[in-house]
Each structure stands twice: as structure tokens, then as C-alpha cells.
Amino acid sequence: MDSLVTVLAAVEKMGFHSQFQVNGKNLVSLKTNNHFQPNEVKIVHFYRFEGESNPDDSSIMYAIESINGEKGTLVDGYATAADADTANFIRNVKNIKK
């Protein structure tokens, strides 16, 4: 499996230039400050990374496209390391592809 940095570079070449974070119940673009609800985004692809020596080092990266065409990534911990707000937001996204 490729590293998170390698995959981030690859998806950036595919046009996913923004970085997102979840703030409460909204997904926020750190590039444009646009706010999105779960029904306003689709997860085009996601990638899981497992810590080699510690399961708490696991993470997941989502390649996301918003309703206005903005594309970017969201990185979160995985399993016990997941952020509760991010997990709740992703759980409410209905348009998820792999």
C-alpha cells in the first residue's frame, strides 16, 4: 500500500486541490471557506492506511467533490482514532463510491 503522502499527491494530480475539514455538522473547505452539508458532497474514492506497528496510527483519506464542483480531500483517523464529528458527517453522506 502506498503512503498517505503518495496517495495525496496522486489525487491532487486528478484535480482534488482543496483540503476539507469537518466543523460541527458542516464540511468546510480550507481553501475557499465554502461550507457543505452531507447531501451536497459525494465521496469519489477513499483510501485506508494502517499503522505498521500501532493500530492507532490508522487513517482514512476521502477524495470529495462538492455540489459546486470543488474537489478536495479529507483525512481522518480510523477506527478508535476517528474524530466523532467527521465520522458522523461521513455517515450521513449518501453518495459514496469506491
Side-chain angles (χ1 to χ4, degrees), residues 11-78:
V11 296
E12 187 170 302
K13 288 180 184 176
M14 295 187 297
F16 293 84
H17 299 289
S18 295
Q19 293 179 344
F20 295 113
Q21 72 178 26
V22 174
N23 185 352
K25 295 184 180 187
N26 295 306
L27 182 73
V28 180
S29 168
L30 299 179
K31 184 176 184 179
T32 64
N33 201 37
N34 289 326
H35 292 237
F36 305 100
Q37 296 293 311
N39 65 335
E40 297 176 318
V41 299
K42 68 179 172 182
I43 297 174
V44 178
H45 205 45
F46 59 92
Y47 308 83
R48 231 177 74 191
F49 305 92
E50 296 183 13
E52 290 186 31
S53 61
N54 185 347
D56 289 338
D57 292 339
S58 297
S59 61
I60 188 164
M61 188 207 59
Y62 301 96
I64 297 174
E65 184 173 355
S66 71
I67 195 168
N68 71 356
E70 185 173 0
K71 293 181 176 181
T73 56
L74 171 66
V75 178
D76 190 27
Y78 191 77

